[in-house]
Amino acid sequence: MINFSYTIWILIIPIFMFLLLGLLGMKFKPIISGVLGTIGLGVVMLLSYYAAYQYFFQLPRIDDAYQQILAHNITWLNLSASLQIKMGVFIDPISVMMLVVVSTVSFMVHLYSIGYMKGEKGFQRFYAFLSLFTFSMLGLVVATNIFQMYIFWELVGVSSFLLIGFYYERPSAVAASKKAFIVTRFADLGFLVGILLLSYYTKSFDFLNITGPVGIEVTRNLTQTFLGMSVATWALLLIFMGGAGKSAMFPLHIWLPDAMEGPTPVSALIHAATMVVAGVYLVARLFPLYSFAAPDALTVISYVGGFTSLFAAVIACTQFDIKRVLAFSTLSQIGYMMLALGVSGYGGEKGVGYMASMFHLFTHAMFKALLFLGAGSIIHAVHSNYMNEMGGLRKYLPITHLTFLIACLTIAGLFPLSGFWSKDEILVAAYEHNMLLFWVEYLVAGLTAFYMFRLYFRVFWNKEPHYHHKPHESPLVMTIPLMFLAVASIFTGFLPFSKMITSDRLPFETETNLMVAIPSVAIGLVGILIAFLLYKKDNTRVEKIVKGLGGVYTTIYNKFYIDEVYMFVTKKIIFNLISRPVAWFDRHVVDGFMNGIAGVTVLASRKIKGAQSGQLQHYAFFFVLGAIAFALIFIYLWQ
Amino acid sequence: MERYGIPLEGFLVISTAMFFIGIYGFLVRKNLITMLMSIELILNSVNINFVAFNSYLFPENMQGNFFALIVVAIAAAEASVAIALIINIYRRFSSIEVEDIDEMKY
Amino acid sequence: MNLDQFLIMRHELLLIGVVLLLLIAEVFSKSEKKHFMIPFAIILFLLYTIVGFLPAKTGVLFGGMYQTSELVILFKNILNVAVFIILLQSASWLRKDINHERISEFYIILLSSLIGMNFMISAGDFLMFYLGLETATIPLTALAAFDKYKNKSAEAGIKFILSSALSSGILLFGLSILYGTTGSIYFTEVAEKLVASPLLVLGFIFFVSGMSFKISLVPFHFWTADVYEGAPVNVTSFLSVVSKGAAAFIFMVILFTVFKSLSNMWGDVLYLLSILTMTIGNLFAMRQKNMKRFLAFSSIAQAGFILLGIMGASELGMTSVVYFVLVYVFSNLAAFGVVSVISDKTGLESMDDYNGMYRTNPKLSLIMMLALFSLAGIPPVAGFFGKFFLFTSAASKGYYWLVLIAVLNATISLYYYLLVVKAMFINKNDTPIAKFKSTFTDRLALIICVAGIFAIGFASPIYELIRSLSFGF
Amino acid sequence: MNILALFIIIPILTIIGILSTKDHRGTRIVSAIGMGLQLITSVVLIYMFYAERNAGNHADMLFMVDYMWFESLNIHYLVGVDGISVAMIALTSVVTFAGVFASWEVKDLPREFFISLIVLATGVFGFFISLDLFTMFLFYEVAVIPMYLLIGLWGSGPKEYSAMKLTLMLMGGSALLLVGLFGIYFNSAPNGGQLTFNILEISKITIPMEAQRFFFPFTFIGFGILGALFPFHTWSPDGHASAPTAVSMLHAGVLMKLGGYGCFRVAMFLMPGAAHELAWIFIILTAISVVYGAFGAIWQKDLKYINAYSSVSHCGLVLFALLMMNETAMDGAIIQMISHGLMTALFFALIGMIYGRTHTRMINEMGGLMKIMPFLAVCYVIAGLASLGLPGLSGFVAEMTIFVGAFQHPDTFHRVVTILACSSIVVTAVYILRVVGVLLFGPVRNDEFLKLTDAKWFEKVSTVTLILAVAFIGIVPIWLSDLIRLSLKPILDQLSSF
């Protein structure tokens, strides 16, 4: 038996780093903080790799299935006789995979940031937050129960908040961080209620229980319904709401583009590779439950995923901020993953969607991190986010250019890069399940290729604007992660995912479906070609098209005005129509009533003062009147 | 029961009338001395009551009569103090009209 | 009169002795050395007070006209302590030149009034009761006008005597009807022969009205404020503490013994009276600026609370009333003591003059605050216990709504007590009352009061003692 | 000597010590030592409590002392503690200790200030250890009245108005409470026998249902007013806004907890039947409190008002959870009391410190404080995060326990109100982040502020103490939760007997 208890260090090291850098960081030189953080993360990465190696290659399988191991599980809080919140480390295929993803990307970002963040005020703070984030994300990944996951889920949200708002003196960053937090928080409300509902029936938070036979049995047999849907479906949909918030699914996606206000390495780590896929991970975690107890919820997930991927891809085509393009691209890709989960069945071949989703999660993490880090390198060079202010950068940034190109090709799904393999599996899954969604995804594949190459050509080719400083290639500490991730983007596609990560943890064989693969590569090429025609050189074709589209373009450019709708709802309705009246009501009605009591008392006091007139005979009159009144009352009325 | 040819009710009517006349006088007369006299009316109505009750209803002992005697005595004491105070008032206010004495109010 | 009788009437007789001694001393003292009367009177009274605490016989005299019990003796002792404190407080006032000729006058009249009260609370029939009542009241009216060069004092005197004469008249009319319906003036006999009839109810209500005047219950209270304001401070404190306490006590005793069989009815009468008294008293007190007038209205409201205890109509109720009076003696005298000290030294009596006093006279302000908290019923001072037991008493008869109204009224009363606290502690003042040193007697009086305010609440033996002497039905 | 006596004796000794000091320095040092001792005593108490429990003493109350006080009324000075009281005492010690340091620089009448503060704390300690309704009520009032002077004398803004309002409303509350207590007392021997104020004795009998129905609302609302139950909460915003720092801390941190504590220790424990029958009314009111307070907070501009409304919301959650009447929810309610006590004290401490520097509490007049006073700003962020329920800090533990507990009722009514209450976590996030965003982040709006300094050592002591406590509960909640849980059993047994 292989002991996984060392995995706890994967959590301890980053939190220790956080405390060290957070409390004492200011005492260190910035560079020392950076190096400390990076080394810590390096150790974490190695531990994760070692764990992955042991898990997939050394640990014996039981009945051919990968084991689910509770490396640690201590009771953190007793809630009731049956419900406890535990904290622990759960080892199973997806958690191990996620460990690898998170630690790798995090390490790369740590390393990269040494260069990127150099000279920034709050360098130590940045590293402290990065460590905190990494800790939270890893904790989320290895959660043994849904409540632990929720806990780290929240922590992840906060670290994201802190990192987006890293440039706290910039109002836009503050606003973005706030927005990110509140939107995800709103989604988390759903998650929480979902957890509460689910755990009420399953009497447990533990994944082993609730996704095990007992949990499935209980949830399947729930007869209670609410508004026509079974309680189980409600619970799982609400949980998905949490996932949708974190993963920025439509309509909870609005925070992600704004989150790009954070430093670019943060965007790479949190808003591209790791945190935003937490929603996907969550659904994958509870997949058996979804699959057996609430197939309706899965359908919803697949449509939400499909719609988001299309929606975001369309918007991505019109954006000029390169990070925003990447952000919408992320949305779109996560939509893919969600869709894949939504169309997946449980077990063996039917579970290809599940496998594909995880696969795509993995490859996407690599190439999207690469894209973001590359974008960071570009921004580092030209000090702008806007592609209009860029062009012809291939000469100045050779390494960035090359790695960026690889990433673009990967995301466009060209054979044999990793993106091709994972996207292909997703298309296969959709193809087998739902033709409508398949066509949507097929279209999105083309759009993806188009907008990525639009970005690529605008930045690296096209007309060169006037640069204030001559752009120069980033230092090695930044390009090494780029190169590493580029290699990963190229080769991770060859990993035998279906042998490792499947819905029922039993390996199965997949073969490439040429009926899907060839058209998908083809449409990718078409997308690239269009982008090439439009953006390779500076020309007026784009303007004509934009003019031709008219209002449609403006709508897309303004992201379908979803932000405005939200603003309307929050500012006008919640703030103005609820909160403000509540505040007014409180001051004037409730408090007014209390003050009114006092006022009436004072008024009464003033009104009756005349009785004490100083006139003896008035006093006597009251006296006699009182006596007679009492006498009458008690002689005639009193029984 | 009719003793001395006058029914008890007769006394009671008189005494009650005196009582309320006294009260009326106290309430409306403005002169302090007159008010004091009204008080005497009230006290005397009480005396009539006591004495009448005693001799008509409970002649076996003398409680009512004694009470009346004591009341008379106390009324005298009261009147003397009151008149002293009225003199004092006259010194201070140069008036013994009750309406003028309202320095303290509200 | 044999020795036994003497012992039974010890309080009254000794007190008469004290008064006579003072008279004789007055006659033989030289006119320029009158202020020696002050320590003389105080020491004499102190001795008398101490003797009062010695074990005493109880019994009935004059065929039932006069009676004492342990409780009555205890109550007389409470009154003695209160008067002793008042004597201490009045010392520095009497020492003033303007009062020089009238020092013994003050003592003699005051103590005569106390004699009346002693007789009143020892009464066994209505005659003795009435006699005591008037003996207590008539000297007091003279005392109210003691500052004869002040308009207000003269006004207080005349208002007091005329109103009190009217109230006595009405009370007497009530008594005459009682006599007419029951044929007796002895408490025990009246109680036996009591049969509810409209005439009797009329008599009873008149009696209650007269008593309400003494305890100043609304609507029979109007004289209170004017007299309290006009009278010298020490007379006011005597009126508000001793006179009111004695009247409340005998009222309760008469209700408990004579009108036992009417308890349902007088329960309701008191219900109405207490609500009126607490509420109206508070409403008036809220707006007062003159400290004496302020305390007058506050004492009216306090009387309303006392009724709650009486309504308990039980041992518990009687205990709570006596206990409350005890607490009230110390609290109210502490408050009046401070007012009196300040009035003596500066002649200021308005609440606004107290602004910022804490900065200059912290100790006086603290004592005032404690006294007011005690009056408001705030722990840990004794007033809390006193009020609590009164409310317990009312609640024991199921008067929960009344208790609620009473406690809410206590809250209102807290408001105006806090106004004084606010004036002393919080309000800013450029010219606060200057720092001054108070005399020994003033300090002694205040120390006794503060000790009482703190000790009585926590010392349950006092409560238990009263409880063991009380009776109810 | 019994350890509980120390909680009364130490403050009294401290007061005597303060009276004997001559100057400002001495005063605050004596206060700090006294309250430090108090803190140590409460830690020792926790230790002793555990030792006793581990030694197998499973009596409901430990360290009981019983002196007959007013024998004829059967009033006792009866004290004792269970896990809940121990936890509340620890909370009080921590907050008082932090409060002393937060008011280190009181200039005006420091001696009087510290004495009042300690009297207030004494009242609170006494309340938590009392097992006799009379003693409890006495300490309750002792705790309330110093507020008047503390706010009126050392407060700011319309302090006199606020002080008066607060005092009168709380006293009005105690009026209701007193009626309730009398009701309990006079029904404490329905089958004849000695009436009693002893909570443990009364819990053994069943108060007649009629009486319960009548007196439960009195008692519950009476305590509820102190616990800022809607619509009786309006004293709280004004009071907090005007109070000096340490007083807000103690008041929101501890005094408001008296309400919640009383609600279950007296109202629900002694009148379980009515608690079940009437719970729905109060559940609605508290659910309104929770949401209403949170929405009210969004619109406020004054830091203290924001926090006051937030307190309304959080304290509403306490009562809400209590009324759910199951182990988990009540456990959560008590954790929430402690958690809210600590974090709101932290908030008020920080607000006081910020106000002491900027002389304004209007958030739109400030901005970018993170740059000027990073220590305070970071602490503020931590407090904010605790308040919006970040895991690892105490608020999360409390809220989650409450929600899980409230969810144990499967009927629609409870579900709806629970979800309503849950939704407050979003609204809370909105107003907390709004403050953090406007106040701490963004550009510095007033150049005058650039000259301001960061926290001084005593301010650090104050805030760090509280933050440590908040984090301790947040990270190892099981310690606190189990301490409370075992003590809930008698109450739950009582409630489930209906």
Side-chain angles (χ1 to χ4, degrees), chain B residues 1 5 12 20 22-23 25 34 42 44 49-51 60-61 63 67 73 85 96 102 106:
Chain B
M1 171 159 43
L12 292 186
F20 283 103
I23 285 181
T34 332
I42 296 173
N44 283 324
N49 261 357
F50 269 118
V51 174
E60 61 277 9
N61 55 33
Q63 290 170 356
F67 212 121
L85 290 173
I96 51 167
D102 62 347
Y106 304 132

Side-chain angles (χ1 to χ4, degrees), chain A residues 71-267:
Chain A
H72 288 275
N73 210 17
I74 54 162
T75 305
W76 185 67
L77 181 62
N78 286 315
L79 287 178
S80 66
S82 57
L83 286 174
Q84 283 109 24
I85 301 180
K86 291 181 178 156
M87 288 286 167
V89 177
F90 185 51
I91 306 280
D92 82 336
I94 51 173
S95 71
V96 172
M97 179 206 80
M98 284 299 286
L99 279 183
V100 171
V101 170
V102 174
S103 59
T104 309
V105 179
S106 182
F107 175 72
M108 293 304 154
V109 167
H110 272 77
L111 186 60
Y112 179 90
S113 302
I114 295 179
Y116 186 84
M117 298 298 288
K118 196 172 164 191
E120 291 275 1
K121 208 175 121 233
F123 190 84
Q124 296 95 324
R125 181 163 53 96
F126 182 76
Y127 270 91
F129 289 168
L130 275 190
S131 298
L132 175 63
F133 170 76
T134 313
F135 161 73
S136 325
M137 190 66 209
L138 292 169
L140 188 160
V141 165
V142 297
T144 61
N145 61 68
I146 197 163
F147 222 105
Q148 184 187 354
M149 196 166 190
Y150 180 74
I151 288 169
F152 284 100
W153 189 271
E154 291 292 314
L155 283 174
V156 165
V158 166
S159 359
S160 152
F161 164 77
L162 293 172
L163 283 165
I164 296 171
F166 180 76
Y167 299 116
Y168 59 79
E169 286 173 47
R170 205 192 281 167
S172 58
V174 175
S177 64
K178 200 163 84 179
K179 187 171 179 183
F181 193 88
I182 291 168
V183 173
T184 49
R185 184 79 174 187
F186 177 67
D188 293 348
L189 173 63
F191 188 13
L192 176 64
V193 175
I195 293 176
L196 295 176
L197 263 178
L198 189 64
S199 61
Y200 175 72
Y201 295 106
T202 58
K203 306 281 176 236
S204 173
F205 295 125
D206 290 351
F207 288 128
L208 277 178
N209 292 338
I210 55 179
T211 62
V214 181
I216 291 173
E217 195 57 32
V218 171
T219 35
R220 266 177 110 170
N221 295 338
L222 282 179
T223 48
Q224 264 181 293
T225 56
F226 180 67
L227 296 180
M229 273 200 288
S230 108
V231 177
T233 311
W234 271 108
L236 289 167
L237 270 181
L238 285 166
I239 290 176
F240 169 67
M241 178 176 162
K246 210 56 97 203
S247 290
M249 291 291 101
F250 179 87
L252 298 170
H253 64 281
I254 50 157
W255 63 273
L256 187 58
D258 289 10
M260 297 302 134
E261 289 291 342
T264 310
V266 169
S267 311

Side-chain angles (χ1 to χ4, degrees), chain C residues 187-203:
Chain C
F187 289 171
T188 42
E189 288 178 25
V190 174
E192 282 162 21
K193 295 182 187 153
L194 206 62
V195 183
S197 66
L199 195 61
L200 186 102
V201 172
L202 181 74

Side-chain angles (χ1 to χ4, degrees), chain D residues 127-388:
Chain D
F127 183 85
F128 286 134
I129 60 176
S130 301
L131 293 176
D132 184 276
L133 293 175
F134 179 82
T135 333
M136 196 181 230
F137 185 72
L138 183 130
F139 280 119
Y140 173 96
E141 300 235 323
V142 168
V144 168
I145 201 70
M147 294 298 295
Y148 179 75
L149 280 182
L150 283 168
I151 296 177
L153 201 44
W154 293 276
S156 57
K159 55 186 187 179
E160 288 147 23
Y161 162 78
S162 309
M164 192 60 92
K165 178 168 174 178
L166 178 141
T167 317
L168 292 185
M169 278 188 77
L170 294 187
M171 281 294 161
S174 78
L176 298 176
L177 176 60
L178 188 59
V179 174
L181 295 188
F182 281 136
I184 295 172
Y185 175 67
F186 286 108
N187 287 292
S188 64
N191 308 317
Q194 179 74 289
L195 298 173
T196 178
F197 277 115
N198 182 333
I199 293 180
L200 300 177
E201 293 289 323
I202 303 171
S203 72
K204 291 191 193 119
I205 56 99
T206 307
I207 294 174
M209 207 47 213
E210 284 299 304
Q212 290 198 22
R213 260 182 225 124
F214 186 72
F215 294 112
F216 180 78
F218 279 105
T219 320
F220 197 88
I221 295 176
F223 279 120
I225 289 180
L226 195 51
L229 174 70
F230 176 88
F232 308 104
H233 63 277
T234 59
W235 56 270
S236 142
D238 289 328
H240 287 322
S242 298
T245 307
V247 178
S248 294
M249 287 168 70
L250 231 67
H251 187 214
V254 181
L255 208 55
M256 284 170 85
K257 308 302 167 290
L258 262 56
Y261 182 86
C263 278
F264 80 86
R265 177 75 88 211
V266 179
M268 296 170 68
F269 186 44
L270 302 183
M271 295 181 277
H276 275 284
E277 263 190 37
L278 303 174
W280 64 274
I281 301 172
F282 294 107
I283 287 178
I284 291 174
L285 283 182
T286 51
I288 292 175
S289 277
V290 173
V291 182
Y292 177 91
F295 273 113
I298 290 184
W299 199 255
Q300 304 301 323
K301 309 254 181 307
D302 182 319
L303 279 176
K304 280 201 168 179
Y305 273 90
I306 295 174
N307 209 31
Y309 278 98
S310 140
S311 288
V312 170
S313 170
H314 281 121
C315 288
L317 206 53
V318 171
L319 297 180
F320 175 81
L322 287 176
L323 290 162
M324 289 294 159
M325 289 185 273
N326 60 47
E327 190 188 11
T328 317
M330 292 182 91
D331 186 16
I334 292 151
I335 302 178
Q336 169 80 346
M337 281 196 228
I338 290 168
S339 151
H340 175 254
L342 293 170
M343 70 194 184
T344 203
L346 178 57
F347 259 128
F348 278 122
L350 291 166
I351 292 170
M353 292 167 195
I354 292 173
Y355 178 72
R357 292 174 165 74
T358 60
H359 300 291
T360 175
R361 287 195 310 258
M362 294 296 150
I363 52 170
N364 42 14
E365 291 171 15
M366 293 182 270
L369 295 188
M370 182 64 92
K371 199 173 158 189
I372 305 165
M373 32 189 113
F375 182 85
L376 291 179
V378 167
C379 291
Y380 202 97
V381 172
I382 293 174
L385 293 177
S387 177
L388 59 73

